[in-house]
Amino acid sequence: MVGVVGAVAGSMGAVWLAWNPEEQTMAWVQTALLLAIFIAFIGYKSWRFRKWVALCGQGAALLDAGDLGAAQRALEDADGYALRPPERVLTRFQLGLCALFQGRVDAARAAFLALSRGWRTKEMPDVYVAAPDMLAACLALQGDLVEARHWLEEAHRRRRPGVVNLSLGEVLILCREERYGATVRLLDDRREFVEKSTVLYRKLLRVIRAFAWDALTTEEGANQGEEPKDLEPFRPGEFNSLGGQWPRMEAFLRARGLTDREAA
């Protein structure tokens, strides 16, 4: 864009001089005006980018800390300042995460579906891989396991060879398929990744493991499942996204006091 504006300004100045050689003074004035407009335009773009960086960083930090309402407001403001496609892709991915963790699974699903299908998403490689995985997580929460598997496979296909991480989509699909032993093993195998995750993500994964262990021990005839240990302080309803369309998970959350416990 900068090169285009500069080329246009230079061309206009050259044309004016060629057609009006006796009015070179006026031509230089016009060229200076074009240059001033060009500099102002660059300054405006730079200002918007700095605003986007600040708001996006603030929103990401609030999201990591679990302050979802404040994170959503900051990210919506950031989206208003985004000019380039990569900026919009990253901001809208984080807004999708906000919606998911707030329990607005339909909104999150729509956001991740748009990103998963959008060709501009390729300009942000991390989002290009993560969007279909988070879409699979949304679909699993809603019980649409066939479609969830499709998008999980798409996420695996996009991932670079040799990259190992923990897929929330895979964890939730295993849980919804009632493969509780596989869920526990996967989370235990990726324990280091879980512990290094952001606060909200880590708490979510710990609750899912506790649920899977509880279901597993219940199926095996034990009287009591594993209590969710070492849970960090959380806000009331922080895990509602898990149980909104998943009756067994909702019952577990209620039984463990994880839907209405006051934040510490």
Side-chain angles (χ1 to χ4, degrees):
M1 177 62 74
V2 172
V4 171
V5 174
V8 170
S11 299
M12 291 179 66
V15 169
W16 182 268
L17 285 173
W19 284 5
N20 302 276
E22 71 285 356
E23 299 182 11
Q24 291 188 11
T25 301
M26 182 59 70
W28 283 113
V29 170
Q30 291 188 342
T31 301
L33 180 60
L34 287 172
L35 182 60
I37 293 172
F38 170 71
I39 293 172
F41 176 71
I42 296 302
Y44 172 71
K45 284 187 64 177
S46 177
W47 171 77
R48 282 191 63 148
F49 179 72
R50 290 195 302 271
K51 290 287 289 185
W52 174 81
V53 169
L55 287 166
C56 195
Q58 179 186 2
L62 290 166
L63 177 60
D64 289 347
D67 192 348
L68 301 178
Q72 181 182 351
R73 290 189 293 273
L75 290 168
E76 286 174 346
D77 289 343
D79 194 46
Y81 285 101
L83 282 174
R84 300 180 304 145
E87 296 162 16
R88 289 192 290 271
V89 165
L90 180 58
T91 307
R92 290 170 190 180
F93 178 76
Q94 292 178 326
L95 281 168
L97 292 178
C98 274
L100 175 60
F101 291 130
Q102 287 171 331
R104 298 184 293 113
V105 181
D106 285 337
R109 174 178 174 171
F112 294 133
L113 179 61
L115 289 169
S116 298
R117 289 177 171 173
W119 64 275
R120 286 288 195 177
T121 307
K122 290 184 177 181
E123 298 180 32
M124 293 294 293
D126 289 343
V127 176
Y128 182 66
V129 174
D133 181 62
M134 297 309 298
L135 175 56
C138 293
L139 290 161
L141 286 172
Q142 294 178 323
D144 190 348
L145 297 180
V146 173
E147 193 69 7
R149 276 285 176 193
H150 165 74
W151 284 106
L152 179 63
E153 290 169 3
E154 177 64 18
H156 288 331
R157 187 185 66 80
R158 295 181 182 188
R159 188 169 295 128
R160 294 189 301 273
V163 175
V164 178
N165 59 13
L166 180 61
S167 162
L168 180 61
E170 184 173 6
V171 170
L172 288 172
I173 288 170
L174 289 173
C175 247
R176 288 307 300 257
E177 290 175 341
E178 300 185 354
R179 297 167 61 190
Y180 302 119
T183 303
V184 171
R185 286 192 298 273
L186 177 60
L187 288 169
D188 287 350
D189 288 344
R190 300 287 190 273
R191 185 182 300 274
E192 184 177 354
F193 178 88
V194 172
E195 296 306 316
K196 291 181 178 179
S197 299
T198 60
V199 173
L200 187 59
Y201 200 66
R202 181 172 64 246
K203 289 191 288 185
L204 193 72
L205 292 171
R206 285 177 174 174
V207 169
I208 293 172
R209 188 195 182 282
F211 165 77
W213 181 263
D214 181 90
L216 184 63
T217 54
T218 299
E219 287 180 352
E220 293 177 352
N223 293 325
Q224 184 175 356
E226 180 185 75
E227 291 287 347
K229 298 175 182 177
D230 301 324
L231 282 179
E232 299 163 71
F234 61 89
R235 293 169 174 78
E238 191 168 10
F239 304 116
N240 287 356
S241 59
L242 291 175
Q245 299 179 59
W246 190 353
R248 186 166 184 174
M249 174 63 83
E250 183 181 18
F252 170 81
L253 295 173
R254 289 188 180 280
R256 303 296 177 178
L258 298 177
T259 57
D260 54 3
R261 174 178 159 189
E262 293 297 327

